[in-house]
Amino acid sequence: METLVQLSDVTKRYGSGSGEPALNRVSLQVPTGRVTAIMGPSGSGKSTLLNLIGGLDRPTSGVVTMEDVELSRLGEGALARHRRRKIGLIFQFFNLLNNLTALDNVLIPAELAGVPRRKALERGHELLDQLGIRQQAHKYPAQLSGGERQRVAVARAIVNRPVLLLADEPTGALDTHSGEQVMDLLADLNRAGQTILLVTHDPRIAQQYATGVIRLIDGQVADDSAGARRVAVQ
Ligand SMILES: Nc1ncnc2c1ncn2[C@@H]1O[C@H](COP(=O)(O)OP(=O)(O)OP(=O)(O)O)[C@@H](O)[C@H]1O
Ligand SMILES: [Mg+2]
């Protein structure tokens, strides 16, 4: 099994650093081509973990490696480029820009990456088609259902063909049916080769869609069935 992301002894403290760290000496591996679920109680460090892997934030200590690149060695500019080219992000509350149409929301990361407008448009339309929301291309987020909004967010996340798709509670704000539609979509993407790291509170979603589960408690790995972690025998 190939490893896409590796964390070695990663600690994250916020603010002044007093008190318990949000992540406490976490080591784990995210396997290539799988759906890996992160579970754990509120405050256990799941979003913090995603932010470090996505290069949105940096660890206090320890090393995050993706595709053999140590993220801590990248300066701000290189880290931003890494993020734009390699990472797709999906959030619980969609985080769409309300004053842009569905299509224009999808095109944002392509524009940031400097993709020519015509090529970006082609890709945007192709994705809206693929995700079953072609009819919604020129609607604004307020005119879309929750499930449609999240599908727009999925299209936006994958418009630049990221190596890694990070999803933080992508079904958390959706009813069961819309949640299943979004998860089926993510499963389709995974079948086409997309590596996905998925935070979920829902054990049924983890069981149905994930190959492995990493459980965090109080900022530490309590359980890891993602299958790629090699525990050193002391
Ligand atoms: N920006 C921040 N500044 C200070 N503390 C933070 C910050 N973000 C998170 N924390 C703290 O770090 C810990 C882990 O937070 P995190 O958001 O990673 O948890 P989580 O597992 O994603 O929780 P939830 O399931 O509620 O989303 C919590 O104690 C939280 O209060
Ligand atoms: Mg969270």
Side-chain angles (χ1 to χ4, degrees), residues 12-15 20-23 39-51 57 92 168-169 199 201 216 219:
K12 175 65 185 178
R13 291 178 186 278
Y14 289 105
E20 293 301 307
L23 288 178
M39 300 193 74
S42 181
S44 58
K46 305 181 297 295
S47 297
T48 299
L49 179 67
L50 245 55
N51 288 343
D57 202 355
Q92 179 172 0
D168 198 344
E169 291 279 357
V199 170
H201 274 112
L216 292 181

